């Protein structure tokens, strides 16, 4: 369901990350009209709070959870999303998730 | 997780504290602001009208006093009036800026607040501390006119937006407020929220049906056009179901509530349309990405332009400042932000008006890309109900007599074949007597006695009774090749007639498929029926890609196979067995009369049983995406062309004095750029299926 790049795997190992959580972060749209929607982006955190979450990957190496809207779009997509590492700042990022949450 | 109906943000129901109970369901909000907008949208309009009026009442004298009627210390009066405009009608821009900064983002308000503050602060300094600045010009007219023009644009946008969402408002207004509850033989008017399942209500002619119900007494014609888009009233009698929000036209009826509150058809439609508007569409991603960098980019361009013209262009502090103000004021990320939602709001409303429920904007985008449509046969292309198609008398008896004896034979049977024959007899006003004896022969037919001995059944039954089918065997085969089920009527051991039954095509199937194909979309028919029947139906509707004898999982495999070949596939179906294929397809289109699971799975639900609406959905998808592209193109084009102009591209041709009017023109252009996007989206209202 989700592919981890080698660089992401190295990063996860180096930092002893056991769990990854895909959450939605909202940024206000460019104007205050209620037509202008909040802009959602997926953020990756390594702390998994209590609450509604869906398991996307349950492996020995790492467990990946997501909030339900993100899990739903990942399940529906034909392509396999990929967790990689940003070029600058060395943070985990996710690509290939449809923009429909 | 629930979705904030105003901003589209997901809210965890377990943690959300800001809620509102409306239209029979609880809504969850991310903030009090969103809740207020949801509960009292008219409050915002009233506030906007008030500040708009105050702003112009003060702006006009500021402009007049700036250019004429100069009296002693007139500039102090201008300063007072301009300050009121800046900090009362203009307060919303500062509030918006603070909110944006809290979220570490910039927005339209940030640009307006910075731009007008620059003009106001500079002019204030000139008035209060003239010794500090070399120039004597004041530009309160610029700051006030910008605020007034932008508020005018906001007001215009608000009014046009109301038109964009009027389909949803119309649906909401259909929910009746009260009902006539019958309790203890008394009729009492109660609030709709008090109605519970199984409550019995009275609905008089001309009144709305309070909630989804079953008629327990009386008959009437019901106008269901607001729900199904079907203009002809539907006759209803005891036992029939009626939909809440539809209009009872002719007779008084007593109804028993079947579904209440959020479970009703109307509530579900309202919720679907509302959700469709709040969903993100992939095409918006680029605009959203640009929006997040837009404000800092524009402020940077403004600062660079100011520095360039001040230090290198040498046009002086005043004009350089006006360059900065113009850049900030002309830039409009707002048009980028509303390009997609404005078009979606109009098109999902338009779809609902035509009895098409689109569950999310993304489905319209997929509809635009679909190049293969797979259609289930039974219940989708055909009516899914057997009908008598041919009556062939084998003796001198006429057709109606053959049908009458067949109906007598079947009058005690519950078999679907029997129901079809009885329906046809009723249609032809044929009187039917109940037989004296009746024997059902499973899988073969029936035997009974009335004034004659009647045997009605298939070939095997007739032969088992020692009667040869040879004289009419060819006729039977001809009918069977057409995919029909043939029954033989035998009266007193003599073959008297043949009855052929078939699942008939929906009236619009052939036209719908022809239109879909004309769009350049490939059509496939998939059926669990035998090859001959499936091919016959395929031939009649013009589909050559026919797959017969398939099990539900094989339907799924076929969809996957078409997807692997690089196609974007829409599946149209109605049954429980279609649900996996509807989910697997890129776009699932469920027929509204079908199973609940099919409707839940489909991205688009056709409230009417018309196959033609598949074509309408695909066409609307194309029109909507076309409109979104136009809007986005306009928004990008506007900013790309006008920001350089505001930054001084015209100075080499017209000189710096052009900035005496350019800030006004910038405010005017910005104010109406968003309205243009909304107006362009409103053109979708002209869409005719």
């Amino acid at each position: 369901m989700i592919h981890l790049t080698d660089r992401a795997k190295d990063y996860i190992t180096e930092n002893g990350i056991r769990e990854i959580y895909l959450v939605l972060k909202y940024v206000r749209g460019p104007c205050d009209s209620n037509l202008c929607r909040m802009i959602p982006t997926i953020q990756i955190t390594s702390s998994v709070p209590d609450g509604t979450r869906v398991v996307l990957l349950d492996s020995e190496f790492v467990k990946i959870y997501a909030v339900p809207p993100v899990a739903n779009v990942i399940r529906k997509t034909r392509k396999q999303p990929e967790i990689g590492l940003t070029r600058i700042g060395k943070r985990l990022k996710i690509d290939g998730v449809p923009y429909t949450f | 997780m629930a979705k904030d109906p105003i901003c589209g943000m997901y809210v965890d129901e377990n943690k959300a504290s800001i809620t509102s109970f409306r239209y029979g369901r609880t809504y969850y909000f991310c903030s009090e602001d969103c809740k207020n907008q949801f509960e009292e949208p008219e409050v915002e309009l009233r506030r906007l009208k008030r500040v708009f009026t105050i702003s112009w009442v003060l702006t006009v004298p500021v402009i007049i006093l700036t250019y004429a009627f100069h009296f002693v210390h007139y500039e102090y009066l201008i300063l007072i009036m301009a300050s009121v405009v800046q900090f009362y009608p203009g307060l919303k821009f500062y509030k918006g800026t603070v909110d944006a900064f809290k979220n570490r983002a910039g927005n339209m308000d940030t640009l307006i607040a910075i731009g007008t503050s620059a003009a106001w602060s500079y002019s204030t300094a000139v008035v209060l501390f003239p010794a500090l600045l070399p120039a004597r010009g004041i530009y309160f007219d610029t700051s006030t006119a910008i605020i007034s023009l932008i508020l005018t644009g906001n007001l215009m946008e608000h009014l046009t937006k109301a038109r964009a969402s009027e389909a949803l408002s119309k649906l909401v207004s259909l929910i009746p407020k009260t009902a006539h509850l019958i309790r203890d033989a008394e009729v009492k008017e109660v609030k709709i929220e008090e109605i519970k399942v199984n409550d019995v209500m009275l609905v008089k002619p001309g009144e709305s049906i309070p909630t989804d119900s079953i008629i327990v007494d009386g008959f009437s014609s019901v106008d269901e056009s607001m729900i199904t888009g079907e203009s002809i009233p539907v006759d209803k009698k005891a036992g029939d179901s009626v939909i809440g929000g539809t209009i009872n036209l002719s007779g008084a009826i007593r109804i028993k509530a079947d579904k209440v509150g959020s479970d009703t058809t109307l509530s579900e439609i309202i919720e679907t349309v509302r959700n469709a508007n709040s969903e993100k569409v992939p095409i918006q991603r680029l605009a959203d990405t640009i929006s997040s960098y837009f404000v800092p980019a524009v402020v940077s361009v403004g600062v660079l332009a100011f520095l360039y013209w001040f230090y290198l262009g040498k046009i002086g502090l005043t004009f350089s400042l006006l360059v900065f103000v113009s850049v900030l004021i002309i830039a409009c990320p707002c048009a980028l932000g509303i390009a997609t939602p404005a078009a979606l709001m109009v098109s999902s409303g338009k779809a609902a008006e035509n009895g098409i429920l689109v569950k999310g904007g993304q489905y319209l985008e997929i509809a635009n890309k679909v190049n293969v449509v797979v259609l289930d046969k039974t219940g989708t292309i055909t009516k899914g109900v057997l009908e008598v198609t041919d009556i062939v008398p084998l003796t001198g008896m006429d057709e109606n007599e053959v049908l009458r004896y067949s109906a007598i034979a079947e009058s005690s049977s519950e078999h679907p074949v029997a129901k079809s024959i009885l329906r046809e007899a009723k249609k032809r006003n044929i009187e039917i007597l109940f037989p004296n004896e009746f024997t059902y022969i499973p899988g073969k037919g029936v035997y009974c006695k009335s004034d004659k001995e009647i045997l009605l059944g298939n070939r095997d039954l007739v032969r088992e009774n020692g009667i040869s089918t040879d004289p009419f065997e060819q006729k039977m085969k001809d009918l069977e090749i057409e995919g029909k089920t043939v029954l033989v009527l035998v009266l007193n051991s003599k073959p008297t007639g043949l009855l052929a039954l078939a699942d008939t095509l929906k009236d619009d199937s052939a036209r719908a498929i022809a239109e879909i194909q004309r769009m350049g979309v490939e059509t496939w028919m998939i059926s669990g029926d035998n090859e001959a029947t499936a091919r016959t139906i395929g031939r009649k509707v013009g589909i050559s890609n026919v797959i017969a004898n398939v099990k539900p999982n094989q339907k799924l495999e076929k969809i996957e196979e078409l997807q692997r070949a690089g196609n974007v596939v829409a599946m149209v179906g109605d049954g429980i067995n279609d649900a996996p294929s509807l989910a697997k397809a890129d776009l699932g289109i469920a027929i509204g009369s079908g199973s609940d699971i099919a409707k839940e799975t489909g991205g688009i639900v056709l409230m009417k049983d018309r196959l033609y609406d598949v074509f309408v959905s695909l066409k609307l998808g194309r029109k909507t995406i076309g409109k979104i592209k136009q809007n986005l193109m306009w928004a990008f084009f506007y900013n790309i062309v006008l920001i350089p102009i505001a930054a001084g591209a015209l100075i080499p041709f017209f000189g710096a004095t052009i900035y005496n009017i350019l800030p006004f023109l910038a405010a005017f252009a910005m104010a109406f750029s968003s309205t243009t996007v909304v107006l362009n989206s409103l053109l979708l209202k002209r869409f005719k299926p």
Side-chain angles (χ1 to χ4, degrees):
Chain A
M1 191 179 272
I2 286 187
H3 175 249
L4 287 156
T5 64
D6 290 340
R7 287 185 68 213
K9 281 180 183 167
D10 291 345
Y11 178 84
I12 289 166
T13 311
E14 281 165 22
N15 290 279
I17 297 170
R18 306 296 304 154
E19 293 177 325
I20 288 174
Y21 191 37
L22 308 181
V23 290
L24 279 175
K25 182 173 182 274
Y26 288 87
V27 180
R28 285 206 80 83
C31 57
D32 62 0
S33 157
N34 62 5
L35 266 185
C36 194
R37 298 289 172 183
M38 303 282 270
I39 301 172
T41 50
I42 298 180
Q43 288 214 328
I44 300 182
T45 66
S46 53
S47 61
V48 182
D50 290 335
T52 320
R53 61 193 191 190
V54 178
V55 180
L56 294 177
L57 183 74
D58 189 1
S59 73
E60 290 282 305
F61 177 62
V62 70
K63 284 181 179 166
I64 303 178
Y65 301 91
V67 288
V70 174
N72 289 342
V73 290
I74 288 177
R75 278 185 180 153
K76 277 184 195 166
T77 182
R78 279 202 222 170
K79 291 176 194 162
Q80 190 178 37
E82 185 178 84
I83 291 182
L85 214 55
T86 54
R87 287 184 194 282
I88 308 163
K90 272 205 160 187
R91 281 187 300 117
L92 290 172
K93 61 160 187 171
I94 185 161
D95 292 318
V97 182
Y99 191 56
T100 48
F101 24 81
Chain B
M1 285 176 105
K3 219 168 192 188
D4 184 324
I6 294 298
C7 68
M9 192 168 161
Y10 283 100
V11 183
D12 194 335
E13 295 102 318
N14 303 319
K15 295 176 188 168
S17 55
I18 308 168
T19 60
S20 175
F21 187 80
R22 287 274 169 112
Y23 321 125
R25 72 169 69 226
T26 304
Y27 290 91
Y28 299 87
F29 301 91
C30 69
S31 65
E32 283 289 343
D33 268 1
C34 283
K35 185 186 173 186
N36 292 341
Q37 278 192 55
F38 178 78
E39 289 185 337
E40 295 179 280
E42 65 279 8
V43 170
E44 171 67 9
L45 182 62
R46 278 205 302 271
R47 196 193 61 79
L48 205 49
K49 279 181 179 168
R50 189 175 64 241
V51 293
F52 161 84
T53 310
I54 293 169
S55 192
W56 275 115
V57 162
L58 293 170
T59 297
V60 171
V62 166
I63 293 171
I64 293 170
L65 284 176
T66 302
Y67 296 101
F69 304 114
H70 291 178
F71 45 83
V72 180
H73 297 314
Y74 74 98
E75 61 270 25
Y76 288 100
L77 181 61
I78 297 179
L79 169 62
I80 291 165
M81 288 193 289
S83 301
V84 174
V85 173
Q86 188 72 31
F87 298 107
Y88 180 46
L91 185 64
K92 78 183 232 63
F93 304 118
Y94 289 109
K95 278 185 178 169
T97 305
V98 171
D99 282 348
F101 282 159
K102 276 184 193 164
N103 290 295
R104 292 180 194 173
N107 62 14
M108 193 71 235
D109 294 338
T110 315
L111 297 175
I112 297 162
I114 297 174
T116 56
S117 296
W120 178 85
S121 307
Y122 171 79
S123 305
T124 303
V126 169
V127 173
L128 298 180
F129 313 105
L132 291 179
L133 292 160
R136 307 294 317 135
I138 52 172
Y139 290 91
F140 289 122
D141 56 328
T142 305
S143 64
T144 51
I146 287 170
I147 289 173
S148 297
L149 279 166
I150 287 164
L151 287 174
T152 310
N154 284 357
L155 187 62
M156 290 284 293
E157 189 195 323
H158 206 94
L159 296 171
T160 47
K161 230 164 49 183
R163 282 190 59 207
S165 61
E166 71 186 2
L168 187 61
S169 313
K170 268 191 215 165
L171 284 171
V172 170
S173 69
L174 289 176
I175 300 175
K177 305 249 179 318
T178 57
H180 301 299
L181 180 66
I182 304 175
R183 195 169 282 166
D184 304 327
E186 272 185 31
V187 179
K188 196 174 140 193
E189 188 162 346
V190 296
K191 283 187 180 170
I192 195 74
E193 292 85 2
E194 292 174 32
I195 298 295
K196 295 182 186 68
V197 172
N198 290 333
D199 277 351
V200 177
M201 294 158 281
L202 174 71
V203 188
K204 295 171 193 166
E207 287 182 348
S208 294
I209 307 286
T211 189
D212 291 4
S213 310
I214 308 284
I215 299 180
V216 289
D217 189 27
F219 57 89
S220 184
S221 287
V222 178
D223 177 3
E224 295 187 338
S225 59
M226 58 294 284
I227 303 288
T228 63
E230 191 60 70
S231 56
I232 302 164
V234 187
D235 289 338
K236 300 273 182 176
K237 59 182 188 312
D240 288 346
S241 54
V242 282
I243 306 168
T246 57
I247 310 285
N248 174 29
L249 293 178
S250 49
I253 48 175
R254 282 198 303 147
I255 58 172
K256 189 165 78 173
D258 184 32
K259 288 177 184 169
V260 295
S262 60
D263 296 333
T264 62
T265 308
L266 186 56
S267 286
E268 281 173 7
I269 293 172
I270 291 169
E271 203 48 28
T272 307
V273 175
R274 204 190 289 281
N275 277 341
N277 295 336
S278 68
E279 294 274 339
K280 281 284 176 188
V281 187
I283 198 171
Q284 176 73 9
R285 188 197 282 268
L286 177 66
D288 280 352
T289 309
I290 290 175
S291 293
S292 48
Y293 298 106
F294 192 88
V295 172
V298 168
V299 175
S300 305
V301 170
V303 170
L304 289 174
F306 170 82
L307 294 173
Y308 175 85
W309 289 112
F310 184 68
Y311 289 108
L312 300 175
K314 308 268 184 220
I315 60 170
L317 178 64
T318 310
F319 284 121
S320 301
L321 187 76
L322 290 176
V323 168
F324 173 71
V325 172
S326 300
V327 169
L328 265 58
I329 298 304
I330 211 164
C332 184
C334 216
L336 288 172
I338 64 173
T340 308
L344 275 185
M345 181 168 276
V346 181
S347 69
S348 59
K350 192 76 196 169
E353 275 174 23
N354 284 284
I356 298 168
L357 277 186
V358 183
K359 291 191 186 166
Q362 73 269 31
Y363 298 112
L364 284 171
E365 181 160 353
I366 300 169
N368 168 60
K369 293 178 183 162
V370 162
N371 66 329
V372 171
V373 173
V374 179
L375 301 121
D376 168 53
K377 183 184 79 70
T378 311
T380 302
I381 294 176
T382 65
K383 290 176 182 168
V385 180
L386 284 176
E387 281 186 13
V388 175
T389 56
D390 303 81
I391 300 172
V392 185
L394 298 174
T395 59
M397 190 178 268
D398 72 16
E399 275 190 17
N400 282 356
E401 274 297 280
V402 171
L403 183 63
R404 188 171 75 87
Y405 279 106
S406 303
I408 290 170
E410 297 283 15
S411 60
S412 301
S413 172
E414 283 296 313
H415 195 275
V417 166
K419 286 183 179 171
S420 313
I421 292 172
L422 292 170
R423 206 167 36 242
E424 183 64 24
K426 192 177 169 192
K427 203 158 68 179
R428 297 189 186 200
N429 294 320
I430 294 171
E431 199 177 321
I432 307 159
L433 299 169
F434 277 97
N436 301 326
E437 272 180 45
F438 173 82
T439 311
Y440 174 58
I441 305 144
K444 291 179 181 172
V446 291
Y447 164 81
C448 73
K449 271 185 184 174
S450 68
D451 58 331
K452 289 182 176 145
E453 248 189 0
I454 311 171
L455 194 65
L456 181 71
N458 61 16
R459 188 182 276 108
D460 290 348
L461 179 71
V462 176
R463 284 177 184 165
E464 277 169 18
N465 281 274
I467 300 162
S468 169
T469 57
D470 291 348
F472 47 87
E473 188 61 37
Q474 190 53 49
K475 184 65 197 169
M476 283 183 84
K477 280 184 179 158
D478 289 346
L479 291 166
E480 282 166 348
I481 284 169
E482 289 174 32
K484 294 172 181 171
T485 302
V486 183
L487 302 176
V488 185
L489 174 72
V490 179
L491 296 179
N492 294 337
S493 304
K494 188 176 176 189
T496 313
L498 300 178
L499 261 87
L501 296 102
D503 184 3
T504 50
L505 290 177
K506 287 182 181 171
D507 297 338
D508 65 338
S509 290
R511 184 168 74 111
I513 287 158
E515 292 287 3
I516 293 168
Q517 289 169 344
R518 205 167 293 144
M519 292 173 96
V521 175
E522 197 176 303
T523 49
W524 286 74
M525 189 179 83
I526 204 156
S527 172
D529 273 357
N530 64 64
E531 186 87 22
T533 307
R535 289 235 167 257
T536 305
I537 296 287
R539 210 166 33 246
K540 282 183 182 169
V541 294
I543 297 181
S544 52
N545 302 312
V546 174
I547 314 160
N549 294 316
V550 289
K551 295 189 177 78
N553 62 331
Q554 290 172 313
K555 284 187 185 180
L556 196 69
E557 285 165 17
K558 187 64 210 173
I559 302 268
E560 284 173 336
E561 191 186 314
L562 287 164
Q563 286 177 327
R564 274 197 300 276
N567 296 303
V568 181
V569 181
M571 166 78 197
V572 189
D574 69 327
I576 293 169
N577 60 352
D578 294 323
S581 321
L582 289 169
K584 184 67 205 172
D586 298 281
L587 175 64
I589 302 178
I591 304 278
S593 63
S595 63
D596 285 346
I597 188 161
K599 283 187 273 183
E600 270 172 36
T601 318
I604 291 179
V605 181
L606 310 179
M607 298 296 287
K608 291 176 273 183
D609 279 353
R610 295 190 338 165
L611 194 59
Y612 190 75
D613 286 343
V614 174
F615 161 69
V616 176
S617 307
L618 298 183
K619 194 174 160 192
L620 187 61
R622 291 187 179 190
K623 290 270 177 201
T624 307
I625 298 305
K627 193 57 74 185
I628 290 174
K629 283 181 180 169
Q630 275 175 20
N631 285 348
L632 287 173
M633 217 166 73
W634 156 255
F636 282 123
F637 177 79
Y638 169 90
N639 286 301
I640 287 168
V641 170
L642 293 188
I643 290 176
I645 287 177
L650 296 179
I651 292 179
F653 307 104
F654 300 103
T657 49
I658 194 176
Y659 281 90
N660 284 325
I661 56 159
L662 204 58
F664 297 98
L665 296 178
F668 187 82
M670 185 270 131
F672 292 96
S673 60
S674 308
T675 310
T676 309
V677 167
V678 180
L679 285 173
N680 187 40
S681 304
L682 279 172
L683 292 178
L684 274 173
K685 277 180 172 271
R686 293 183 184 173
F687 172 80
K688 289 215 167 48

